[in-house]
Amino acid sequence: MATMNISSLTARRAAIGVDVGGTKIAAAVVDASGRLTHRVQRATDVSGVDATLASIRAAIEAVLADAGPTAGDVGGVGLGIPGKVDPVSGVGLLSVNLGWRDAPVVATLEAALGLPCRIENDVSVGALGEARYGAGRDRQSLVYLSLGTGVAARVVIDGRLYRGAGGMAGEIGHLVSDPDSLLCKCGARGCLEAIASGPGIAARAQQAVDARTPTALRDMAAGGPVTTRMVFAAADAGDEVAQTIVERTGQYLGGAVKTLIMLYDPEIVVLGGGLAQAGNRLTAAIIREVDRLAAESYVFRDLWRPDRLAVSVLGPDVALLGAAALAL
Ligand SMILES: [Zn+2]
């Protein structure tokens, strides 16, 4: 009898995780063990704040409809939102991807759905997902380094996100990594995000093509813009310019990993985001650079062990899992 009570209690402990992106919204039911069910995907309507919130609501309602009778197990909704959010007031403060400012996300959704809702920044939910269900599961401290359209890190200590005074702790993407390189959208030159994000890799490759450096990338782009995907494909096919760009990116990011380890001394640094999933050429280059930095500094060598760096095994699901963890 006692066993039955416990299992029925466990069964109610589920939440909906929502991963809100600039082009699509993914949502699913996540149970306490991290099992994903009733997954849906919807296009994000970014024509206005109300339209965006309506498309988020529609995705959640689609999950609830799909869950049918098991929707009663859902105790809340957690959302990962790109940009700056206030998790206390539940307001989306500023999002370039969604084109909104001061969006009343939690108030609007709670009124419509009748379920408690919580929001966090998208990189933060990635960090929480990894801490709870991924590489950080049995560890006290974790740094999640997200490598994609942007570059940012988040720190989780004892299962809790370290936000800093203004909620921006871990914005390592705007550390200057190469002061002679490209201008960043933030105004500074050579930020990690400007040169080692997906668009940063493409921009550096474009520079090489524009400078008439002999490379297969010119034919691949065929007069159009060079993409990140082309750079990795050309590198795999043996193009030296593309290989150098990827290797250099690994050096920039390896430096960032060292900085994060020196700052936080975490049990593990987890690489997530699209670039971490783009094959192992880049991650191998990052590891090579971290090893090199350890070889040259006995202080860093003392902190560094190969098992302190891992690639996310949760992949694209990490945001859904972390978002749900906000409400579990
Ligand atoms: Zn910057």
Side-chain angles (χ1 to χ4, degrees):
M1 233 11 217
T3 315
M4 269 185 67
N5 285 340
I6 290 165
S7 67
S8 61
L9 191 71
T10 310
R12 272 195 295 275
R13 294 197 58 205
I16 292 178
V18 188
D19 176 15
V20 181
T23 54
K24 58 185 193 288
I25 299 160
V29 174
V30 178
D31 70 15
S33 65
R35 201 167 55 99
L36 282 157
T37 54
H38 309 295
R39 186 196 295 255
V40 305
Q41 193 167 301
R42 292 282 186 277
T44 312
D45 184 341
V46 288
S47 61
V49 175
D50 291 344
T52 309
L53 290 173
S55 58
I56 295 170
R57 175 186 169 178
I60 298 165
E61 285 173 341
V63 171
L64 289 168
D66 193 53
T70 58
D73 297 341
V74 172
V77 179
L79 303 103
I81 308 274
K84 208 173 172 186
V85 305
D86 181 346
V88 178
S89 65
V91 171
L93 298 174
L94 178 67
S95 174
V96 175
N97 292 348
L98 301 176
W100 74 23
R101 197 181 273 275
D102 299 327
V105 183
V106 166
T108 305
L109 293 175
E110 284 187 344
L113 301 164
L115 283 167
C117 296
R118 294 191 61 187
I119 57 171
E120 254 303 351
N121 162 267
D122 56 351
V123 181
S124 300
V125 301
L128 289 169
E130 206 57 57
R132 184 155 178 162
Y133 300 110
R137 217 165 11 180
D138 302 313
R139 292 178 164 96
Q140 301 302 307
S141 56
L142 166 144
V143 171
Y144 179 73
L145 177 58
S146 177
L147 310 172
T149 311
V151 173
R154 289 294 184 269
V155 182
V156 179
I157 299 165
D158 293 331
R160 300 178 69 90
L161 193 67
Y162 173 70
R163 292 193 177 82
M168 296 288 278
E171 284 295 323
I172 196 167
H174 300 280
L175 278 189
V176 173
S177 195
D178 183 352
D180 297 324
S181 194
L182 299 166
L183 197 62
C184 181
K185 277 183 280 188
C186 80
R189 186 171 286 281
C191 290
L192 202 56
E193 184 163 299
I195 59 181
S197 62
I201 291 170
R204 281 164 47 232
Q206 187 70 54
Q207 271 191 323
V209 168
D210 293 347
R212 307 206 167 275
T213 312
T215 165
L217 289 166
R218 184 188 326 281
D219 286 344
M220 290 169 87
V226 179
T227 65
T228 315
R229 198 179 291 268
M230 285 177 201
V231 177
F232 284 111
D236 285 344
D239 184 77
E240 285 183 19
V241 170
Q243 286 176 350
T244 303
I245 289 169
V246 175
E247 192 64 28
R248 206 63 209 278
T249 307
Q251 289 166 2
Y252 295 140
L253 295 172
V257 169
K258 177 187 174 183
T259 301
L260 290 167
I261 291 174
M262 300 301 286
L263 283 174
Y264 299 107
D265 192 8
E267 284 182 51
I268 193 159
V269 175
V270 184
L271 306 176
L275 286 182
Q277 309 292 331
N280 62 8
R281 179 177 291 274
L282 178 60
T283 49
I286 294 172
I287 291 165
R288 259 196 303 283
E289 176 66 4
V290 177
D291 280 337
R292 191 192 67 77
L293 293 167
E296 76 177 11
S297 161
Y298 75 84
V299 178
F300 179 48
R301 193 155 63 239
D302 196 41
L303 276 82
W304 167 243
R305 289 200 324 263
D307 66 353
R308 292 184 123 196
L309 182 62
V311 176
S312 168
V313 289
L314 302 174
D317 287 343
V318 69
L320 280 176
L321 290 164
L326 295 172
L328 277 165

